[in-house]
Amino acid sequence: MKENLHPEYKEVQVRCACGNTFTAGSTKDEISVEICSKCHPFFTGQAKTMEKGGRIERFNKKFKRD
């Protein structure tokens, strides 16, 4: 097998655009992301969910079935 084939894996600081930082493992020296779990709407509870209804509900509504 070849020696020194794999890059060095180390712990690095990940920086988010919101200012949050956390540690992760990577082969890169530093990582910067645009969105993280501290500022993403899904994790903060700001997400808005809409129910569009499935095919059966649309069919029943179209043909006035209950």
Side-chain angles (χ1 to χ4, degrees), residues 51-63:
E51 286 197 31
K52 294 183 177 183
R55 291 183 180 190
I56 296 172
E57 287 83 10
R58 285 186 278 157
F59 177 85
N60 289 337
K61 183 178 177 184
K62 182 177 181 180
F63 293 105

Side-chain angles (χ1 to χ4, degrees), residues 24-54:
S26 177
T27 57
K28 296 184 177 186
D29 292 330
E30 63 180 45
I31 300 174
S32 57
V33 294
E34 294 178 9
I35 198 158
C36 67
S37 61
K38 294 286 184 184
C39 59
H40 193 280
F42 178 78
F43 296 109
T44 60
Q46 302 294 324
K48 296 179 183 176
T49 58
M50 294 178 55
E51 286 197 31
K52 294 183 177 183

